[in-house]
Amino acid sequence: ASLADALAAGGADAAIVATAPHRHADDARAAIAAGLHVLVEKPFALSVRDARAVVAAASAAGRSVVVGQNYRTMRAWRTARRFVAEGTLGRLHHVELRYRRDAHVVNDGLRRLSCVALWETGVHYLDLLRVLAGAPCVSVSARIADVPWVSGLAGTSLDASLAFASGVHATCSVKYGSGGHHWFERGQETYARLMGERGTLHVLHRWLVWCPRDGWPRLVGRGRRD
């Protein structure tokens, strides 16, 4: 009947926190206090202060706490990360990430937030940028707006510019209300461009194309599933 009852019943090693976003921090700390490891669905918390409190509680209790950022485990993005890590691109200079889709139904917890484009989808791509850059973000500027024909949701347009300690610069754009391509990928469009000194890697959904500075473009295999 309640989280408290479930925690008191015992018999669990870990908890997945998939409640409404505004409850994530409190529910995660309650599970940690009960001795559980915790996976928190994104968004991890709605403020840096709350996020740090959860991490501190887990550290003090000797428990693991992780965020459900599953995009970084997808084969296309693992392959892109390998291109960077192995030096195929040479020095990485700029990453452009773009996501478009038409309006769609989101759950009630996300619907109450002030920027759906950020909290529902943008967090995945901002996490990918951090992974690809291989360093903390040192500066960010962003513009959040409403797409006028998408009703019932706030903050359906996100444009962000980021700089990382590794010297990588990035742009991230997430837009809802972009129609005209419903026949493909359920109306979703994902594109990334990784610009390095030795060439450019393009990622379109699950397809990757490597364009070396001196050579012909070629498709890149994503490798086997684990």
Side-chain angles (χ1 to χ4, degrees):
S2 70
L3 175 60
D5 290 344
L7 294 173
D13 297 314
I16 297 174
V17 176
T19 48
H22 70 277
R23 288 187 46 179
H24 283 185
D26 289 342
D27 290 348
R29 284 195 289 177
I32 292 166
L36 302 184
H37 301 287
V38 177
L39 183 147
V40 185
E41 273 296 344
K42 55 85 180 175
F44 181 52
L46 298 185
S47 72
V48 174
R49 180 184 60 190
D50 286 347
R52 286 176 172 160
V54 174
V55 172
S59 178
R63 301 290 89 182
S64 296
V65 58
V66 296
V67 190
Q69 294 286 11
N70 60 308
Y71 279 34
R72 60 167 66 186
T73 67
M74 294 177 178
R75 287 188 293 162
W77 300 115
R78 293 208 316 265
T79 303
R81 185 180 185 182
R82 189 183 75 242
F83 258 65
V84 175
E86 294 179 352
T88 306
L89 280 162
R91 287 177 297 174
L92 183 64
H93 177 262
H94 188 88
V95 180
E96 174 190 348
L97 264 172
R98 193 171 66 226
Y99 175 84
R100 303 283 186 268
R101 74 167 302 153
D102 209 342
H104 68 297
V105 177
V106 301
N107 64 56
D108 289 340
L110 287 168
R111 183 178 292 275
R112 291 199 295 265
L113 300 180
S114 60
C115 182
V116 173
L118 170 65
W119 293 116
E120 187 195 30
T121 307
V123 291
H124 283 301
Y125 293 109
L126 294 174
D127 179 64
L128 284 174
L129 289 174
R130 187 167 59 101
V131 169
L132 293 170
C137 180
V138 293
S139 70
V140 59
S141 61
R143 177 182 180 273
I144 295 168
D146 294 333
V147 176
W149 52 86
V150 179
S151 60
L153 298 175
T156 44
S157 172
L158 165 69
D159 293 289
S161 177
L162 306 95
F164 295 86
S166 57
V168 174
H169 294 265
T171 54
C172 180
S173 176
V174 177
K175 309 284 184 183
Y176 289 3
S178 174
H181 47 267
H182 304 86
W183 51 273
F184 187 69
E185 292 287 342
R186 294 176 299 168
Q188 301 181 78
E189 176 193 339
T190 301
Y191 172 73
R193 177 194 298 259
L194 285 71
M195 298 168 52
E197 62 180 334
R198 296 179 179 171
T200 299
L201 179 67
H202 301 267
V203 183
L204 177 62
H205 295 285
R206 61 183 68 87
W207 293 277
L208 296 93
V209 180
W210 166 233
C211 298
R213 193 170 295 281
D214 299 313
W216 292 96
R218 65 178 177 86
L219 291 173
V220 176
R222 295 175 295 158
R224 298 176 60 85
R225 281 189 198 278
D226 291 340

